[in-house]
Structure formats: C-alpha cells, structure tokens
Amino acid sequence: SNIDYIFASSMKAFTPKRLVISYDIACQWSQNFVSRCSNLPSHILFDPTSTSVEYVIPKFHIAAHGPTC
C-alpha cells in the first residue's frame, strides 16, 4: 500500500498516454493494481485505465523471476 500511495502521489498532476513502470516486483505489484487505485484517498486518486500501462522487470532482477512473470 505504501508503493501505491507513493506512485499515485507522483502521478496526480500527470496523465500520460503511455506509461512504462519498471519495478523489481512488477509482476506481483501489478496484480489488482486497478482495483487498489480505486481505494486511494481522493486527493491522490489515480485512474490507470485512462492510460496505457506496461509493467516491466529490470534486467538485473529478471533471472529471479519465473516464466509466468
């Protein structure tokens, strides 16, 4: 929930058409991200459905993840 809050706070004044999120646990963090965003406080509410979001894992961390990531 801390990362959700930090991420949404940084996006509150920015609405890109395309967004690439590079995070070492993106495969886990991206799960249910849209529904978690709807539970954020109204002053930082971020709507991930309004932009094209792609989640990627940095190359350094990819070896620790399985094929489902």
Side-chain angles (χ1 to χ4, degrees):
S1 65
N2 289 338
I3 295 300
D4 293 346
Y5 187 91
I6 292 166
F7 178 78
S9 293
S10 68
M11 295 301 295
K12 68 180 179 181
F14 184 64
T15 309
K17 292 182 181 181
R18 181 173 180 253
L19 184 63
V20 177
I21 300 171
S22 177
Y23 186 31
D24 62 340
I25 59 167
C27 54
Q28 296 170 21
W29 180 70
S30 63
Q31 294 177 6
N32 302 313
F33 180 61
V34 174
S35 62
R36 290 195 318 268
C37 282
S38 64
N39 296 324
L40 292 169
S42 60
H43 69 283
I44 61 159
L45 198 58
F46 173 70
D47 180 14
T49 61
S50 66
T51 187
S52 172
V53 181
E54 182 180 352
Y55 304 94
V56 297
I57 300 168
K59 188 175 182 177
F60 180 77
H61 293 278
I62 199 70
H65 294 261
T68 59
C69 293

